[in-house]
Amino acid sequence: MEVKRKEKTLAGLFLKYVAFFCVSTILLAAVVLLLMICLSAAGLLLPANYAEVKLSENMVQIRGAGDSLEEWIPQGCTYSVYNADGAWLRGNFPAQEQKSAWEHYEKNTMYAEYKGYYRFIPMDDGNVCIVKYYLIMRFSNEKLNELLPAPELLMPILDIILFILNAVLLSRRFAGKVKAQLRELSVITEKISQNDLEFETKISDLKEINEIMASLGRMKDTLKNSLTAQWDMEKQKQEQLSALAHDIKTPLTIIRGNTELLKEREQAEEESECVEYILENVDEIEKYLENMRQVIYGDRQKTDKVVLHCESLKETFRETAKQLSAAEKIPVSFGVRPIDGRICCKEEEILRAWSNIVSNAVEYTNRQRGIMISIRTEYKESRLYFVAAVRDWGAGFSARDLQYADKEFYSGDASRHDRRHSGLGLAIAKRFAEDQGGFLEYKNCSDGTGAVVELWLKAENLQ
């Protein structure tokens, strides 16, 4: 029997760490205070009134000390000896304090600067000893007094340091706890983004994380069902198109065979024209079937990529455009300039894509004005591209064309009366361009006449 884990909330987890932080802070402050008490009990720390008590104990010795006065002055005190007229005789007061200390004696004022105190002690030889002391804790070791702040300052400093350290460590622990819970969410979202849907969601200690896990699990199942349905639909579509192409191929072969038999016989001129017309249309249907095959199977022929110089490819593109325009007896103009660089691509696919683009332009342009070819290299997003553009002077793209022109079987003619178009030219060109690391762009001309289609292919500079 599976034991159900008790869920926690983020608010509860946060309050738990806040409570732990408060308790640990108080305990750390108590530890610092206890440490000070232990050091004082061990004699390593001197109490704040140590100098005052010691002066009272050594009063008799100080009065009659004479030249051995300094050994009776308590640790941490400074002193000076004055004659009856106030002249400084000896001691370790700083020069700027020697006169000030005597003035305090004359005024019988015991409060010194910087929260210090004076003790005035008449000596047996008629002189006056003035001792300055402070009511603060000190280390019994003078070296420690020189290296460290006074214990009364050291204690709050330690408290602050421990407070900050405690806050940092607990915040990192809290963040690590939450991060460990979120890491699994990151893994799941990454798998979903890669369409890797064969996984099981895990159970977390946090209620909020479990809710997100459950939501992602539902998203995974919905996406999986959607993709499965889409894959099934695409497979069914592919099978239907494949069957259709096969079914068309059989009667088409019969038509071609019988027509060629008729062509071999002697016929009237009108009958001969009909036979030629039939054979031409058979050729068109076979081209249509070939295009269908490319869409269905992706035309995955085992062709290797080759490295082409951009200048060489430019000349090949020019020659192709000349031949296609000459076949339709329309003019073609070129706006090209010397270019540099190279392209690694499948030459046959690129030439087929270019032929499709030029053929479309030849078909739609004004036959008197023809088409214009421009070839250049251009940087886009810090990457070098070989750009071949075709401009025509036809009717241009409609709003619907701009949205669907590169989709399979879109012919730009909703009634489908135009039988010359299979709707695959730009779709195939786009796919070939993307396979070579490029893309296809098409738009209407800014002057309102005709359209431009640009083939962008990833290139690199010559080293």
Side-chain angles (χ1 to χ4, degrees):
M1 180 178 178
E2 184 179 356
V3 179
K4 188 176 180 180
R5 300 169 67 179
K6 185 177 180 181
E7 289 183 333
K8 304 173 186 176
T9 63
L10 276 174
L13 182 64
F14 179 74
L15 288 176
K16 173 185 175 181
Y17 275 88
V18 169
F20 186 78
F21 173 73
C22 294
V23 172
S24 60
T25 300
I26 294 172
L27 289 177
L28 289 173
V31 168
V32 172
L33 179 60
L34 182 63
L35 178 63
M36 292 296 178
I37 293 174
C38 293
L39 291 175
S40 180
L44 299 176
L45 289 181
L46 301 177
N49 64 343
Y50 171 79
E52 188 176 47
V53 172
K54 209 64 175 169
L55 282 173
S56 298
E57 292 177 354
N58 297 344
M59 188 69 69
V60 176
Q61 289 83 352
I62 292 174
R63 285 177 177 173
D67 294 336
S68 61
L69 175 62
E70 187 169 352
E71 65 182 78
W72 299 102
I73 300 299
Q75 179 181 332
C77 298
T78 56
Y79 75 99
S80 284
V81 178
Y82 299 82
N83 62 21
D85 296 329
W88 182 82
L89 300 177
R90 63 183 184 276
N92 56 11
F93 277 167
Q96 64 271 20
E97 192 178 357
Q98 293 172 4
K99 183 178 179 182
S100 173
W102 182 257
E103 291 175 353
H104 278 74
Y105 169 73
E106 290 180 326
K107 296 176 182 179
N108 197 26
T109 303
M110 63 179 296
Y111 300 105
E113 294 83 2
Y114 309 113
K115 298 183 180 180
Y117 297 90
Y118 287 119
R119 176 70 68 89
F120 310 118
I121 306 173
M123 302 183 71
D124 294 342
D125 56 7
N127 294 326
V128 177
C129 178
I130 301 177
V131 182
K132 183 179 180 181
Y133 64 93
Y134 295 90
L135 292 178
I136 58 172
M137 296 179 68
R138 291 175 57 83
F139 293 101
S140 58
N141 190 321
E142 277 301 319
K143 283 291 184 182
L144 292 178
N145 289 318
E146 295 175 3
L147 297 174
L148 300 174
E152 293 178 350
L153 292 176
L154 185 60
M155 186 169 68
I157 290 174
L158 284 176
D159 286 336
I160 293 173
I161 292 175
L162 292 175
F163 175 85
I164 295 174
L165 185 62
N166 188 32
V168 170
L169 292 178
L170 281 179
S171 63
R172 291 185 64 178
R173 185 175 179 183
F174 176 78
K177 179 78 172 178
V178 177
K179 187 176 181 180
Q181 304 289 338
L182 294 176
R183 190 177 296 114
E184 186 61 30
L185 291 180
S186 178
V187 171
I188 290 176
T189 54
E190 183 67 22
K191 287 183 177 180
I192 291 176
S193 68
Q194 297 175 355
N195 287 336
D196 180 8
L197 306 179
E198 299 299 328
F199 63 87
E200 295 294 332
T201 56
K202 297 182 179 180
I203 303 299
S204 170
D205 294 333
L206 295 177
K207 179 182 178 182
E208 290 83 358
I209 300 296
N210 280 334
E211 291 174 352
I212 299 175
M213 286 279 194
S215 178
L216 289 175
R218 291 191 296 270
M219 180 189 297
K220 177 203 73 171
D221 295 337
T222 302
L223 181 60
K224 185 176 181 180
N225 293 335
S226 176
L227 289 176
T228 301
Q230 182 179 349
W231 291 333
D232 291 341
M233 185 173 62
E234 291 293 332
K235 185 177 180 181
Q236 184 180 7
K237 176 183 174 182
Q238 185 179 21
E239 291 174 351
Q240 290 173 345
L241 288 174
S242 180
L244 177 61
H246 182 270
D247 291 343
I248 294 175
K249 189 74 174 177
T250 301
L252 190 64
T253 303
I254 296 173
I255 293 172
R256 176 182 286 279
N258 290 326
T259 306
E260 289 177 347
L261 288 175
L262 290 174
K263 186 178 179 181
E264 293 175 357
R265 299 178 181 178
E266 292 186 5
Q267 300 170 347
E269 182 178 350
E270 184 178 348
E271 292 175 342
S272 178
E273 289 180 358
C274 290
V275 169
E276 291 295 334
Y277 179 75
I278 293 173
L279 289 175
E280 288 177 2
N281 280 272
V282 167
D283 290 337
E284 290 295 324
I285 295 174
E286 287 181 342
K287 290 179 182 179
Y288 182 75
L289 291 176
E290 174 63 20
N291 289 336
M292 286 182 64
R293 188 189 69 80
Q294 292 175 5
V295 173
I296 296 171
Y297 299 108
D299 197 28
R300 302 301 184 189
Q301 297 179 357
K302 300 297 183 179
T303 57
D304 296 327
K305 289 186 176 182
V306 295
V307 177
L308 302 175
H309 196 287
C310 289
E311 187 68 26
S312 173
L313 185 60
K314 180 190 75 174
E315 294 303 322
T316 304
F317 275 20
R318 278 170 55 100
E319 190 62 31
T320 301
K322 283 182 181 179
Q323 293 175 5
L324 291 173
S325 58
E328 295 294 330
K329 299 180 181 179
I330 65 170
V332 57
S333 60
F334 296 94
V336 296
R337 54 182 179 270
I339 56 178
D340 202 0
R342 61 188 177 189
I343 298 175
C344 182
C345 64
K346 295 181 180 179
E347 185 176 10
E348 182 181 346
E349 292 187 357
I350 292 303
L351 292 179
R352 190 180 302 174
W354 174 245
S355 297
N356 286 347
I357 294 171
V358 176
S359 296
N360 278 356
V362 165
E363 183 136 6
Y364 284 107
T365 191
N366 180 293
R367 302 191 68 80
Q368 281 70 42
R369 302 192 67 175
I371 61 173
M372 184 176 74
I373 307 296
S374 63
I375 301 176
R376 67 188 188 277
T377 53
E378 182 176 330
Y379 280 93
K380 190 180 186 74
E381 297 179 354
S382 302
R383 185 183 293 277
L384 181 65
Y385 287 92
F386 173 91
V387 186
V390 183
R391 190 230 165 116
D392 66 63
W393 276 270
F397 292 108
S398 66
R400 181 176 173 82
D401 292 339
L402 292 173
Q403 186 175 3
Y404 299 108
D406 58 358
K407 301 295 186 293
E408 288 90 349
F409 304 110
Y410 177 76
S411 66
D413 181 15
S415 65
R416 306 290 293 179
H417 291 323
D418 188 353
R419 300 182 183 276
R420 294 173 299 175
H421 298 289
S422 63
L424 294 171
L426 291 184
I428 294 174
K430 176 187 176 183
R431 178 162 59 80
F432 285 163
E434 290 176 347
D435 287 346
Q436 310 305 322
F439 56 92
L440 197 69
E441 282 189 351
Y442 48 91
K443 58 188 175 182
N444 290 320
C445 295
S446 57
D447 59 10
T449 304
V452 176
V453 179
E454 293 183 341
L455 177 66
W456 293 67
L457 301 174
K458 185 172 65 175
E460 59 182 23
N461 289 313
L462 293 175
Q463 300 296 330

